[in-house]
Amino acid sequence: MNAIPVGMRRRAPASASGTPRRAPGAGLLAAVAGAFTVAQLVLVRPGMGLGWDETVYVSQVTAHTPAAFFSAPRSRGVSLLVAPVASWSSSTALLRVYLAVLSGLGLYLALRVWRGLFPARVLATAGALFATLWVTLFYGPQAMPNYWVAVGALICAGCFLRARGGEPGRTALYGVVAGAALMAWMRPTDAVYVALPLLAAALWGRHWRLLAALAGGLAAGGVEWVIEAYAWYGGLGERLHEASRIQGGLGWQWAVDDQLRSLGGRALCRPCTGPMPHPLVAAWWFALPVLAALGLAVAVRAGRAARTLVPLACAATAAVPYLFLIGYAAPRFLQPAYALLALPVADALWHLVRTPAGRWRPAAAALVALALAGHVAVQYTVLARTVDRNTDNRRDWARTADALHRLGVRPPCLLTGHEAIPLGYYAGCSSGNTAGHNVNTTRAEVERAARRVPVAAVTRPGGTPPSYARTWASHRIGGLDVRIAPRPR
């Protein structure tokens, strides 16, 4: 007789409300993403000026400064991402807040895709591991593509596994298309490297719908880049060749040590000749593959190898070009690999601190907690130094731009030479170079411009000025030599 009321009590919560119950773990993932957003706003500070690459992307859609030269490797994804704010406002702080909120939302959606493939505690730990890296916090609120390639990689790989596992409906397939398109929208070549294991798995297993979704997503995100290749570079092969030239020539090159040097907070390590970082700064980098391998072993033993092997394989192919094919480094290049590796690493950490029966291992839990606390402290120390250094550098650009204005170089104007692109953005001038990776003008065009608008040539202290500027009036502004053309009539 008690079976009827007991059964009714168990079913009552489901039928008493017309609203669907919240997905298990969604609140935990939202908390991680929200903390990530707050940490960006507090630690990176919205007032930090735009960096070199950011000025290129933002200048394409803003109205208060001319568009900077857009080199062959770049894609328009970041420019379109910032357009909702940059198209009508010149406020860097507003742009930073917008990107911090957007990056937190992106992290939440990327982790949510993996629900059911890993426990909620593993997903939350993976999100926290990725979000507390200094490189993730530093670039989350910046107008740069690599973080968004990482988000797209998580979405694409997670939805691939869900679709391959036979999830009903087309939601997972749409997720594959969206993740692949987001990656290709931001960096087409990175998208191809990340997707290689997924394409191979779909082809090997004859999952034709998955293969079509992957190919369609990559095509949808990269079509604009391909169209530009034929419109401006003479074809896709020519653009790829030019992109390779700008990156120093793609081919077998050992860049593992360069990436290691960049962990100390160097935004760009080119050439990478500085000292190695302190062992405490680099310790997590060496622990990462070990823990990822442990995560794979745990998954194989538990009979769920595929859901761990897929992110591991995608992380490996995503890292290959930046470890073995280019001769310089930047820590942001490996963000997609770090995001994908965070899943098996988090799984391994939970295996270390809890038994298969769910009991805690007190000694192991204490050691893991201590190691993670030290890791987070080191990351925040590197982040603070990186933020301070970059903030000072960008203030120098702003001060130089103010000095140029006082010397009569005001919009419309043209800057050439050393750091012409960021200085041009801060001064509101066009930028042009007759040599180097960003060649977009000629001596004759610069001389013609000098007869119409103010023109300045910038060199390092004691550097040799271009031949057309040797007779121009020389000024020392900060640590730069600036030669200003005679005033146009």
Side-chain angles (χ1 to χ4, degrees):
M1 291 178 63
N2 289 334
I4 294 176
V6 167
M8 291 177 64
R9 285 197 298 271
R10 287 177 179 173
R11 289 191 298 268
S15 59
S17 172
T19 59
R21 287 184 294 179
R22 187 172 60 182
L28 193 58
L29 301 183
V32 171
F36 173 53
T37 296
V38 172
Q40 292 175 69
L41 297 175
V42 172
L43 300 174
V44 182
R45 298 192 294 269
M48 184 177 67
L50 298 182
W52 185 314
D53 292 281
E54 288 185 291
T55 64
V56 175
Y57 291 120
V58 174
S59 69
Q60 308 303 311
V61 293
T62 189
H64 72 277
T65 189
F69 173 66
F70 207 78
S71 61
R74 302 188 189 276
S75 183
R76 302 280 174 179
V78 175
S79 298
L80 296 176
L81 185 74
V82 302
V85 171
S87 60
W88 59 271
S89 173
S90 61
S91 171
T92 301
L94 180 61
L95 182 62
R96 294 271 184 248
V97 172
Y98 162 74
L99 289 173
V101 173
L102 204 61
S103 61
L105 179 61
L107 180 63
Y108 171 73
L109 293 176
L111 293 174
R112 189 181 173 92
V113 162
W114 289 82
R115 286 182 303 109
L117 300 172
F118 287 95
R121 65 175 183 272
V122 172
L123 295 179
T125 304
L129 289 173
F130 179 59
T132 51
L133 292 176
W134 75 262
V135 64
T136 308
L137 284 165
F138 184 67
Y139 285 105
Q142 295 200 49
M144 298 292 280
N146 309 89
Y147 173 81
W148 295 102
V149 176
V151 169
L154 283 173
I155 293 173
C156 188
C159 288
F160 179 91
L161 286 169
R162 300 179 81 91
R164 185 174 175 272
E167 181 177 294
R170 298 182 178 179
T171 304
L173 282 176
Y174 293 151
V176 170
V177 173
L182 178 60
M183 290 191 294
W185 192 34
M186 295 295 167
R187 287 187 74 88
T189 51
D190 285 14
V192 172
Y193 278 106
V194 172
L196 280 176
L198 305 181
L199 292 167
L203 190 61
W204 179 264
R206 298 184 179 181
H207 300 289
W208 306 122
R209 294 175 67 191
L210 261 177
L211 188 64
L214 274 168
L218 293 173
V223 64
E224 186 275 336
W225 199 82
V226 174
I227 291 173
E228 277 191 358
Y230 285 96
W232 295 353
Y233 295 92
L236 183 58
E238 290 298 321
R239 183 166 193 176
L240 290 171
H241 175 75
E242 177 65 10
S244 174
R245 184 192 68 81
I246 290 174
Q247 293 174 316
L250 297 181
W252 175 255
Q253 300 182 72
W254 181 261
V256 176
D257 55 339
D258 293 343
Q259 286 290 347
L260 188 58
R261 287 186 177 90
S262 72
L263 295 178
R266 299 180 66 175
L268 182 64
C269 198
R270 186 180 189 181
C272 210
T273 56
M276 288 290 181
H278 192 279
L280 289 177
V281 173
W284 70 274
W285 211 62
F286 293 102
L288 200 61
V290 176
L291 291 171
L294 175 60
L296 179 59
V298 170
V300 170
R301 183 179 300 178
R304 47 180 175 82
R307 66 189 66 176
T308 298
L309 190 58
V310 164
L312 275 177
C314 292
T317 55
V320 162
Y322 297 115
L323 294 177
F324 306 112
L325 298 180
I326 64 174
Y328 65 99
R332 59 185 174 86
F333 290 163
L334 295 180
Q335 279 187 283
Y338 297 152
L340 291 163
L341 288 175
L343 292 165
V345 167
D347 200 18
L349 291 176
W350 277 103
H351 174 76
L352 290 175
V353 301
R354 297 184 72 172
T355 66
R359 297 190 182 93
W360 287 96
R361 296 185 174 106
L367 288 174
V368 169
L370 184 62
L372 290 176
H375 166 69
V376 171
V378 169
Q379 294 299 305
Y380 284 177
T381 300
V382 175
L383 176 66
R385 293 174 180 172
T386 304
V387 170
D388 290 343
R389 182 172 61 254
N390 281 273
T391 300
D392 290 342
N393 291 341
R394 297 168 192 189
R395 284 175 180 166
D396 288 343
W397 286 336
R399 284 192 287 265
T400 302
D402 290 339
L404 287 170
H405 290 166
R406 290 193 296 270
L407 291 171
V409 183
R410 297 175 175 274
C413 48
L414 172 66
L415 297 186
T416 69
H418 180 63
E419 296 185 339
I421 289 178
L423 287 174
Y425 179 88
Y426 279 84
C429 301
S430 299
S431 55
N433 283 285
T434 59
H437 298 308
N438 297 301
V439 176
N440 65 334
T441 189
T442 63
R443 170 179 175 171
E445 290 173 340
V446 172
E447 291 175 335
R448 280 198 297 270
R451 292 193 289 269
R452 297 181 287 104
V453 298
V455 175
V458 184
T459 59
R460 292 185 177 90
T464 303
S467 57
Y468 57 79
R470 288 175 184 170
T471 61
W472 296 356
S474 178
H475 305 268
R476 174 61 63 89
I477 302 178
L480 300 171
D481 287 340
V482 178
R483 286 172 171 80
I484 300 176
R487 290 182 180 273
R489 295 179 180 177

